[in-house]
Amino acid sequence: MDVATRLRPAPDAAHAPAHARAGDTLEQFPPNAGMGWADHDLPHPPGRRRVLGDAFRKGMDPTQPVQNMLRLGVGLGPIFEMLALGRKFVFASGVDLVGELCDDKRFTKTLAPGVQDLRMFVGDGLFTAETDEPNWRLAHDLLMPAFSKSAMRGYHDVMVDAANELIGVWDKAAGEGRTVDVSPWLTKLTLETIARAAFSHTFGSFATEEVDPFVTTFVGDMSHAAARSNVAALPLVGRRRVRRKDQVALARHGYIDGLLRQIVADREASGQRHEDLLGRMMHEPVDDSGALLEAQNVRHQILTMLVAGHETTSGAVSFALYHLTREPEILARVRAELDEVLGSDPAVDPTFEQVPKLRYLRRVVDETLRLWPTAPGFARSPRETTTIGADGSAGVPGGLRMTPQDKVLVFIPLLHRDPDVWPDPERFDPDRFLPEHNRARPAHAYKPFGTGERACIGRQFALHESVIVLAKLLHRFDLTPEPGYELTITERLTLMPVGFRVGLTRRS
């Protein structure tokens, strides 16, 4: 029985995904016009200009909006706005106000501008769907058990085996005295891990130093989505330029759509019923009628898992290694814990039961995600018109009126740097996450995985994998960063260090 008869049919042409109707993407997915809030003037950086607004200032890189916002948002208060080419964007970073916005009874996830533009590639996948879209609830409820803490036991060996393959490559580099570029290799590792664990698919990532076309293609997709609305707002030529860029991006994305179809077709042709995420999506009913996920939505979810399951985790592990190579005392504590829990053999594999015992290493991961949440924001809208900050937490007496048409982006890097919650916030200190400090902090002061029912479904997977990878690499190698390197971060809806190379020495 083929895929078409086993899964719900794809939507008709009127509701087909953008890549099926490349000629009218501006009509299907109009560039984001801003975040509402027409009735309010909120704090903003000084020096606003008539046309450009607060954007495109001297010294600002338009490809680095998160890092720009980190600089410009300091001191503006718990909620502030930025104007860019006539579009208003509103950010919240005060812990009390964020706590209010995280109340799922009053507020729900909405799509941040870049995420909204990403729908032209990912459709109603878990990350890009609106909460009231039926496929989000169906897929979320179907897949949630596969990402529980207990489910990690089934993925553990896959994570360890993939990490060992990377170590084989780095061992060779160590023997030849070569440095390695950290982030691209970790991206290979995390892509390979999620593909094997979730879809029993391999990209053959360690056979070559070349980056897989899947990665380069989707990085292009994310970069296009991140810049699309800005380009569309340019006077005179903006929308025509976006239409041309849409067509180029969608043609390029055809490679990914073909890959996703092949993954499903290969599974169907094999006749095997793997107990992985793809198996659940293809064979588990989503309601009492016995219906299965739509074929198109299965592809959307595969793509969502592949991207979200590797891009953010590789960035987090890369940032962690960057900080550890600059903090010898912290690294020494990590090594002491590894030797205590895993023993003196640097080639030993951590067991599933040992991973939770690496408590200090887990705090290193938590502190890394505090400073560099690789998914740096999430957007919220009220379910109905309401007032936020009535207790004064918005910095306005009586609070601010917010309608369902208004969006606010919770800006996590500033939330995680609030000096009233995080003393000396730029200092890398894993002991901030000792149990007694966790209990003392406001509940919503730390949000690297989003919030509520729309929080990252793969949180446990990412944390378990991050601890394993760091444990294996740090137990096996001494890492020496290239002299003179200063942290450089690329932004493509996620954050990732670039150009971070290390020398490797095998530990005996």
Side-chain angles (χ1 to χ4, degrees), residues 476-505:
R476 178 64 171 168
F477 299 109
D478 287 317
L479 308 180
T480 306
E482 286 190 330
Y485 176 75
E486 294 185 7
L487 182 61
T488 304
I489 301 170
T490 187
E491 300 183 22
R492 50 201 190 209
L493 298 182
T494 60
L495 305 180
M496 178 78 74
V498 290
F500 172 43
R501 303 185 69 90
V502 296
L504 304 164
T505 305

PDB file of all heavy atoms in Angstrom, residues 476-505:
ATOM      1  N   ARG A 476      37.748  13.140  26.288  1.00  0.00           N
ATOM      2  CA  ARG A 476      38.692  12.590  25.307  1.00  0.00           C
ATOM      3  C   ARG A 476      39.819  13.570  24.952  1.00  0.00           C
ATOM      4  O   ARG A 476      40.956  13.163  24.731  1.00  0.00           O
ATOM      5  CB  ARG A 476      37.930  12.224  24.030  1.00  0.00           C
ATOM      6  CG  ARG A 476      38.793  11.674  22.897  1.00  0.00           C
ATOM      7  CD  ARG A 476      39.438  10.375  23.266  1.00  0.00           C
ATOM      8  NE  ARG A 476      40.090   9.729  22.136  1.00  0.00           N
ATOM      9  CZ  ARG A 476      40.906   8.705  22.253  1.00  0.00           C
ATOM     10  NH1 ARG A 476      41.161   8.183  23.454  1.00  0.00           N
ATOM     11  NH2 ARG A 476      41.476   8.171  21.188  1.00  0.00           N
ATOM     12  N   PHE A 477      39.497  14.883  24.855  1.00  0.00           N
ATOM     13  CA  PHE A 477      40.445  15.841  24.307  1.00  0.00           C
ATOM     14  C   PHE A 477      40.716  17.009  25.262  1.00  0.00           C
ATOM     15  O   PHE A 477      39.823  17.445  25.996  1.00  0.00           O
ATOM     16  CB  PHE A 477      39.920  16.444  22.993  1.00  0.00           C
ATOM     17  CG  PHE A 477      39.683  15.460  21.899  1.00  0.00           C
ATOM     18  CD1 PHE A 477      38.395  15.129  21.509  1.00  0.00           C
ATOM     19  CD2 PHE A 477      40.749  14.866  21.226  1.00  0.00           C
ATOM     20  CE1 PHE A 477      38.160  14.233  20.484  1.00  0.00           C
ATOM     21  CE2 PHE A 477      40.529  13.965  20.203  1.00  0.00           C
ATOM     22  CZ  PHE A 477      39.236  13.644  19.829  1.00  0.00           C
ATOM     23  N   ASP A 478      41.936  17.537  25.178  1.00  0.00           N
ATOM     24  CA  ASP A 478      42.222  18.894  25.609  1.00  0.00           C
ATOM     25  C   ASP A 478      42.033  19.791  24.398  1.00  0.00           C
ATOM     26  O   ASP A 478      42.553  19.488  23.300  1.00  0.00           O
ATOM     27  CB  ASP A 478      43.660  19.012  26.131  1.00  0.00           C
ATOM     28  CG  ASP A 478      43.830  18.344  27.491  1.00  0.00           C
ATOM     29  OD1 ASP A 478      42.937  18.529  28.339  1.00  0.00           O
ATOM     30  OD2 ASP A 478      44.846  17.656  27.693  1.00  0.00           O
ATOM     31  N   LEU A 479      41.290  20.872  24.562  1.00  0.00           N
ATOM     32  CA  LEU A 479      40.980  21.774  23.454  1.00  0.00           C
ATOM     33  C   LEU A 479      41.741  23.082  23.636  1.00  0.00           C
ATOM     34  O   LEU A 479      41.680  23.696  24.706  1.00  0.00           O
ATOM     35  CB  LEU A 479      39.483  22.060  23.381  1.00  0.00           C
ATOM     36  CG  LEU A 479      38.538  20.844  23.360  1.00  0.00           C
ATOM     37  CD1 LEU A 479      37.093  21.305  23.279  1.00  0.00           C
ATOM     38  CD2 LEU A 479      38.865  19.927  22.197  1.00  0.00           C
ATOM     39  N   THR A 480      42.432  23.522  22.596  1.00  0.00           N
ATOM     40  CA  THR A 480      43.191  24.771  22.640  1.00  0.00           C
ATOM     41  C   THR A 480      42.649  25.707  21.571  1.00  0.00           C
ATOM     42  O   THR A 480      42.791  25.435  20.366  1.00  0.00           O
ATOM     43  CB  THR A 480      44.685  24.520  22.381  1.00  0.00           C
ATOM     44  OG1 THR A 480      45.165  23.528  23.296  1.00  0.00           O
ATOM     45  CG2 THR A 480      45.486  25.802  22.535  1.00  0.00           C
ATOM     46  N   PRO A 481      42.008  26.810  21.951  1.00  0.00           N
ATOM     47  CA  PRO A 481      41.451  27.718  20.936  1.00  0.00           C
ATOM     48  C   PRO A 481      42.566  28.439  20.188  1.00  0.00           C
ATOM     49  O   PRO A 481      43.645  28.677  20.729  1.00  0.00           O
ATOM     50  CB  PRO A 481      40.615  28.701  21.761  1.00  0.00           C
ATOM     51  CG  PRO A 481      41.245  28.698  23.115  1.00  0.00           C
ATOM     52  CD  PRO A 481      41.763  27.295  23.324  1.00  0.00           C
ATOM     53  N   GLU A 482      42.307  28.764  18.935  1.00  0.00           N
ATOM     54  CA  GLU A 482      43.283  29.526  18.163  1.00  0.00           C
ATOM     55  C   GLU A 482      43.494  30.893  18.804  1.00  0.00           C
ATOM     56  O   GLU A 482      42.521  31.558  19.194  1.00  0.00           O
ATOM     57  CB  GLU A 482      42.812  29.686  16.720  1.00  0.00           C
ATOM     58  CG  GLU A 482      42.936  28.420  15.885  1.00  0.00           C
ATOM     59  CD  GLU A 482      42.696  28.682  14.417  1.00  0.00           C
ATOM     60  OE1 GLU A 482      41.918  29.602  14.091  1.00  0.00           O
ATOM     61  OE2 GLU A 482      43.274  27.958  13.588  1.00  0.00           O
ATOM     62  N   PRO A 483      44.745  31.346  18.929  1.00  0.00           N
ATOM     63  CA  PRO A 483      45.013  32.644  19.567  1.00  0.00           C
ATOM     64  C   PRO A 483      44.323  33.785  18.818  1.00  0.00           C
ATOM     65  O   PRO A 483      44.245  33.789  17.594  1.00  0.00           O
ATOM     66  CB  PRO A 483      46.540  32.769  19.470  1.00  0.00           C
ATOM     67  CG  PRO A 483      47.038  31.375  19.278  1.00  0.00           C
ATOM     68  CD  PRO A 483      45.971  30.656  18.516  1.00  0.00           C
ATOM     69  N   GLY A 484      43.817  34.727  19.607  1.00  0.00           N
ATOM     70  CA  GLY A 484      43.252  35.935  19.015  1.00  0.00           C
ATOM     71  C   GLY A 484      41.808  35.836  18.588  1.00  0.00           C
ATOM     72  O   GLY A 484      41.225  36.835  18.138  1.00  0.00           O
ATOM     73  N   TYR A 485      41.200  34.649  18.725  1.00  0.00           N
ATOM     74  CA  TYR A 485      39.801  34.535  18.292  1.00  0.00           C
ATOM     75  C   TYR A 485      38.889  35.308  19.231  1.00  0.00           C
ATOM     76  O   TYR A 485      38.972  35.194  20.448  1.00  0.00           O
ATOM     77  CB  TYR A 485      39.357  33.073  18.253  1.00  0.00           C
ATOM     78  CG  TYR A 485      37.887  32.920  17.908  1.00  0.00           C
ATOM     79  CD1 TYR A 485      37.435  33.100  16.607  1.00  0.00           C
ATOM     80  CD2 TYR A 485      36.940  32.640  18.900  1.00  0.00           C
ATOM     81  CE1 TYR A 485      36.092  32.971  16.292  1.00  0.00           C
ATOM     82  CE2 TYR A 485      35.597  32.509  18.596  1.00  0.00           C
ATOM     83  CZ  TYR A 485      35.179  32.687  17.281  1.00  0.00           C
ATOM     84  OH  TYR A 485      33.845  32.576  16.976  1.00  0.00           O
ATOM     85  N   GLU A 486      38.009  36.124  18.671  1.00  0.00           N
ATOM     86  CA  GLU A 486      36.963  36.802  19.417  1.00  0.00           C
ATOM     87  C   GLU A 486      35.620  36.249  18.957  1.00  0.00           C
ATOM     88  O   GLU A 486      35.403  36.048  17.761  1.00  0.00           O
ATOM     89  CB  GLU A 486      37.029  38.313  19.200  1.00  0.00           C
ATOM     90  CG  GLU A 486      38.285  38.958  19.765  1.00  0.00           C
ATOM     91  CD  GLU A 486      38.263  40.471  19.642  1.00  0.00           C
ATOM     92  OE1 GLU A 486      37.215  41.018  19.233  1.00  0.00           O
ATOM     93  OE2 GLU A 486      39.287  41.103  19.950  1.00  0.00           O
ATOM     94  N   LEU A 487      34.746  36.023  19.910  1.00  0.00           N
ATOM     95  CA  LEU A 487      33.469  35.389  19.599  1.00  0.00           C
ATOM     96  C   LEU A 487      32.738  36.154  18.500  1.00  0.00           C
ATOM     97  O   LEU A 487      32.458  37.344  18.623  1.00  0.00           O
ATOM     98  CB  LEU A 487      32.597  35.320  20.855  1.00  0.00           C
ATOM     99  CG  LEU A 487      31.247  34.629  20.679  1.00  0.00           C
ATOM    100  CD1 LEU A 487      31.418  33.185  20.250  1.00  0.00           C
ATOM    101  CD2 LEU A 487      30.440  34.709  21.977  1.00  0.00           C
ATOM    102  N   THR A 488      32.430  35.447  17.430  1.00  0.00           N
ATOM    103  CA  THR A 488      31.677  35.992  16.306  1.00  0.00           C
ATOM    104  C   THR A 488      30.442  35.122  16.122  1.00  0.00           C
ATOM    105  O   THR A 488      30.548  33.893  16.080  1.00  0.00           O
ATOM    106  CB  THR A 488      32.519  35.995  15.021  1.00  0.00           C
ATOM    107  OG1 THR A 488      33.732  36.715  15.260  1.00  0.00           O
ATOM    108  CG2 THR A 488      31.768  36.649  13.879  1.00  0.00           C
ATOM    109  N   ILE A 489      29.293  35.757  16.021  1.00  0.00           N
ATOM    110  CA  ILE A 489      28.022  35.025  16.011  1.00  0.00           C
ATOM    111  C   ILE A 489      27.276  35.329  14.726  1.00  0.00           C
ATOM    112  O   ILE A 489      27.103  36.498  14.353  1.00  0.00           O
ATOM    113  CB  ILE A 489      27.161  35.411  17.228  1.00  0.00           C
ATOM    114  CG1 ILE A 489      27.908  35.104  18.526  1.00  0.00           C
ATOM    115  CG2 ILE A 489      25.816  34.695  17.195  1.00  0.00           C
ATOM    116  CD1 ILE A 489      27.235  35.662  19.758  1.00  0.00           C
ATOM    117  N   THR A 490      26.838  34.280  14.058  1.00  0.00           N
ATOM    118  CA  THR A 490      25.972  34.451  12.909  1.00  0.00           C
ATOM    119  C   THR A 490      24.525  34.244  13.342  1.00  0.00           C
ATOM    120  O   THR A 490      24.243  33.437  14.235  1.00  0.00           O
ATOM    121  CB  THR A 490      26.340  33.484  11.767  1.00  0.00           C
ATOM    122  OG1 THR A 490      25.564  33.802  10.606  1.00  0.00           O
ATOM    123  CG2 THR A 490      26.071  32.041  12.154  1.00  0.00           C
ATOM    124  N   GLU A 491      23.608  34.987  12.719  1.00  0.00           N
ATOM    125  CA  GLU A 491      22.189  34.918  13.060  1.00  0.00           C
ATOM    126  C   GLU A 491      21.396  34.500  11.830  1.00  0.00           C
ATOM    127  O   GLU A 491      21.478  35.120  10.786  1.00  0.00           O
ATOM    128  CB  GLU A 491      21.696  36.274  13.563  1.00  0.00           C
ATOM    129  CG  GLU A 491      22.430  36.758  14.808  1.00  0.00           C
ATOM    130  CD  GLU A 491      21.882  38.084  15.330  1.00  0.00           C
ATOM    131  OE1 GLU A 491      20.717  38.413  15.017  1.00  0.00           O
ATOM    132  OE2 GLU A 491      22.619  38.788  16.037  1.00  0.00           O
ATOM    133  N   ARG A 492      20.634  33.422  11.982  1.00  0.00           N
ATOM    134  CA  ARG A 492      19.750  32.955  10.918  1.00  0.00           C
ATOM    135  C   ARG A 492      18.473  32.425  11.565  1.00  0.00           C
ATOM    136  O   ARG A 492      18.107  31.264  11.377  1.00  0.00           O
ATOM    137  CB  ARG A 492      20.454  31.894  10.078  1.00  0.00           C
ATOM    138  CG  ARG A 492      21.107  30.778  10.889  1.00  0.00           C
ATOM    139  CD  ARG A 492      22.180  30.094  10.075  1.00  0.00           C
ATOM    140  NE  ARG A 492      22.678  28.878  10.712  1.00  0.00           N
ATOM    141  CZ  ARG A 492      23.900  28.404  10.554  1.00  0.00           C
ATOM    142  NH1 ARG A 492      24.754  29.045   9.784  1.00  0.00           N
ATOM    143  NH2 ARG A 492      24.277  27.295  11.124  1.00  0.00           N
ATOM    144  N   LEU A 493      17.838  33.272  12.367  1.00  0.00           N
ATOM    145  CA  LEU A 493      16.737  32.949  13.268  1.00  0.00           C
ATOM    146  C   LEU A 493      17.255  32.238  14.512  1.00  0.00           C
ATOM    147  O   LEU A 493      16.634  32.273  15.561  1.00  0.00           O
ATOM    148  CB  LEU A 493      15.647  32.114  12.595  1.00  0.00           C
ATOM    149  CG  LEU A 493      14.920  32.765  11.417  1.00  0.00           C
ATOM    150  CD1 LEU A 493      13.840  31.821  10.883  1.00  0.00           C
ATOM    151  CD2 LEU A 493      14.314  34.099  11.787  1.00  0.00           C
ATOM    152  N   THR A 494      18.388  31.549  14.404  1.00  0.00           N
ATOM    153  CA  THR A 494      19.074  30.976  15.551  1.00  0.00           C
ATOM    154  C   THR A 494      20.446  31.636  15.666  1.00  0.00           C
ATOM    155  O   THR A 494      20.882  32.357  14.769  1.00  0.00           O
ATOM    156  CB  THR A 494      19.251  29.454  15.396  1.00  0.00           C
ATOM    157  OG1 THR A 494      20.030  29.200  14.221  1.00  0.00           O
ATOM    158  CG2 THR A 494      17.902  28.765  15.283  1.00  0.00           C
ATOM    159  N   LEU A 495      21.142  31.371  16.784  1.00  0.00           N
ATOM    160  CA  LEU A 495      22.469  31.934  17.018  1.00  0.00           C
ATOM    161  C   LEU A 495      23.513  30.826  16.929  1.00  0.00           C
ATOM    162  O   LEU A 495      23.299  29.725  17.442  1.00  0.00           O
ATOM    163  CB  LEU A 495      22.538  32.584  18.403  1.00  0.00           C
ATOM    164  CG  LEU A 495      21.485  33.647  18.725  1.00  0.00           C
ATOM    165  CD1 LEU A 495      21.691  34.181  20.143  1.00  0.00           C
ATOM    166  CD2 LEU A 495      21.514  34.783  17.719  1.00  0.00           C
ATOM    167  N   MET A 496      24.656  31.129  16.303  1.00  0.00           N
ATOM    168  CA  MET A 496      25.701  30.120  16.125  1.00  0.00           C
ATOM    169  C   MET A 496      27.065  30.799  16.079  1.00  0.00           C
ATOM    170  O   MET A 496      27.251  31.760  15.328  1.00  0.00           O
ATOM    171  CB  MET A 496      25.470  29.365  14.813  1.00  0.00           C
ATOM    172  CG  MET A 496      26.530  28.323  14.483  1.00  0.00           C
ATOM    173  SD  MET A 496      26.325  26.801  15.416  1.00  0.00           S
ATOM    174  CE  MET A 496      24.900  26.095  14.565  1.00  0.00           C
ATOM    175  N   PRO A 497      28.045  30.331  16.883  1.00  0.00           N
ATOM    176  CA  PRO A 497      29.403  30.861  16.735  1.00  0.00           C
ATOM    177  C   PRO A 497      29.976  30.475  15.371  1.00  0.00           C
ATOM    178  O   PRO A 497      29.692  29.387  14.858  1.00  0.00           O
ATOM    179  CB  PRO A 497      30.182  30.179  17.858  1.00  0.00           C
ATOM    180  CG  PRO A 497      29.168  29.582  18.768  1.00  0.00           C
ATOM    181  CD  PRO A 497      27.964  29.307  17.927  1.00  0.00           C
ATOM    182  N   VAL A 498      30.788  31.351  14.804  1.00  0.00           N
ATOM    183  CA  VAL A 498      31.454  31.038  13.541  1.00  0.00           C
ATOM    184  C   VAL A 498      32.946  31.306  13.683  1.00  0.00           C
ATOM    185  O   VAL A 498      33.375  32.182  14.440  1.00  0.00           O
ATOM    186  CB  VAL A 498      30.877  31.851  12.362  1.00  0.00           C
ATOM    187  CG1 VAL A 498      29.477  31.395  12.029  1.00  0.00           C
ATOM    188  CG2 VAL A 498      30.890  33.336  12.650  1.00  0.00           C
ATOM    189  N   GLY A 499      33.725  30.523  12.955  1.00  0.00           N
ATOM    190  CA  GLY A 499      35.160  30.714  12.941  1.00  0.00           C
ATOM    191  C   GLY A 499      35.871  30.272  14.205  1.00  0.00           C
ATOM    192  O   GLY A 499      37.044  30.601  14.404  1.00  0.00           O
ATOM    193  N   PHE A 500      35.184  29.526  15.057  1.00  0.00           N
ATOM    194  CA  PHE A 500      35.765  29.072  16.326  1.00  0.00           C
ATOM    195  C   PHE A 500      36.487  27.749  16.082  1.00  0.00           C
ATOM    196  O   PHE A 500      35.865  26.702  15.951  1.00  0.00           O
ATOM    197  CB  PHE A 500      34.654  28.932  17.365  1.00  0.00           C
ATOM    198  CG  PHE A 500      35.080  28.296  18.659  1.00  0.00           C
ATOM    199  CD1 PHE A 500      36.278  28.648  19.275  1.00  0.00           C
ATOM    200  CD2 PHE A 500      34.279  27.340  19.276  1.00  0.00           C
ATOM    201  CE1 PHE A 500      36.664  28.049  20.469  1.00  0.00           C
ATOM    202  CE2 PHE A 500      34.652  26.747  20.469  1.00  0.00           C
ATOM    203  CZ  PHE A 500      35.855  27.103  21.060  1.00  0.00           C
ATOM    204  N   ARG A 501      37.800  27.813  16.013  1.00  0.00           N
ATOM    205  CA  ARG A 501      38.623  26.646  15.747  1.00  0.00           C
ATOM    206  C   ARG A 501      39.427  26.291  16.988  1.00  0.00           C
ATOM    207  O   ARG A 501      39.842  27.163  17.747  1.00  0.00           O
ATOM    208  CB  ARG A 501      39.578  26.894  14.573  1.00  0.00           C
ATOM    209  CG  ARG A 501      38.897  27.297  13.267  1.00  0.00           C
ATOM    210  CD  ARG A 501      39.901  27.394  12.137  1.00  0.00           C
ATOM    211  NE  ARG A 501      40.417  26.069  11.788  1.00  0.00           N
ATOM    212  CZ  ARG A 501      39.871  25.273  10.870  1.00  0.00           C
ATOM    213  NH1 ARG A 501      38.797  25.655  10.205  1.00  0.00           N
ATOM    214  NH2 ARG A 501      40.400  24.091  10.616  1.00  0.00           N
ATOM    215  N   VAL A 502      39.648  24.981  17.171  1.00  0.00           N
ATOM    216  CA  VAL A 502      40.434  24.539  18.315  1.00  0.00           C
ATOM    217  C   VAL A 502      41.461  23.504  17.869  1.00  0.00           C
ATOM    218  O   VAL A 502      41.244  22.750  16.900  1.00  0.00           O
ATOM    219  CB  VAL A 502      39.557  23.912  19.430  1.00  0.00           C
ATOM    220  CG1 VAL A 502      38.600  24.940  20.018  1.00  0.00           C
ATOM    221  CG2 VAL A 502      38.801  22.695  18.917  1.00  0.00           C
ATOM    222  N   GLY A 503      42.588  23.499  18.568  1.00  0.00           N
ATOM    223  CA  GLY A 503      43.537  22.408  18.451  1.00  0.00           C
ATOM    224  C   GLY A 503      43.176  21.302  19.409  1.00  0.00           C
ATOM    225  O   GLY A 503      42.545  21.539  20.443  1.00  0.00           O
ATOM    226  N   LEU A 504      43.565  20.075  19.092  1.00  0.00           N
ATOM    227  CA  LEU A 504      43.137  18.903  19.847  1.00  0.00           C
ATOM    228  C   LEU A 504      44.353  18.118  20.338  1.00  0.00           C
ATOM    229  O   LEU A 504      45.283  17.860  19.569  1.00  0.00           O
ATOM    230  CB  LEU A 504      42.273  17.988  18.982  1.00  0.00           C
ATOM    231  CG  LEU A 504      41.025  18.612  18.347  1.00  0.00           C
ATOM    232  CD1 LEU A 504      40.499  17.737  17.223  1.00  0.00           C
ATOM    233  CD2 LEU A 504      39.946  18.791  19.408  1.00  0.00           C
ATOM    234  N   THR A 505      44.314  17.738  21.590  1.00  0.00           N
ATOM    235  CA  THR A 505      45.310  16.830  22.156  1.00  0.00           C
ATOM    236  C   THR A 505      44.574  15.717  22.875  1.00  0.00           C
ATOM    237  O   THR A 505      43.696  15.981  23.723  1.00  0.00           O
ATOM    238  CB  THR A 505      46.237  17.560  23.153  1.00  0.00           C
ATOM    239  OG1 THR A 505      46.827  18.681  22.492  1.00  0.00           O
ATOM    240  CG2 THR A 505      47.326  16.609  23.639  1.00  0.00           C
TER     241      THR A 505
END
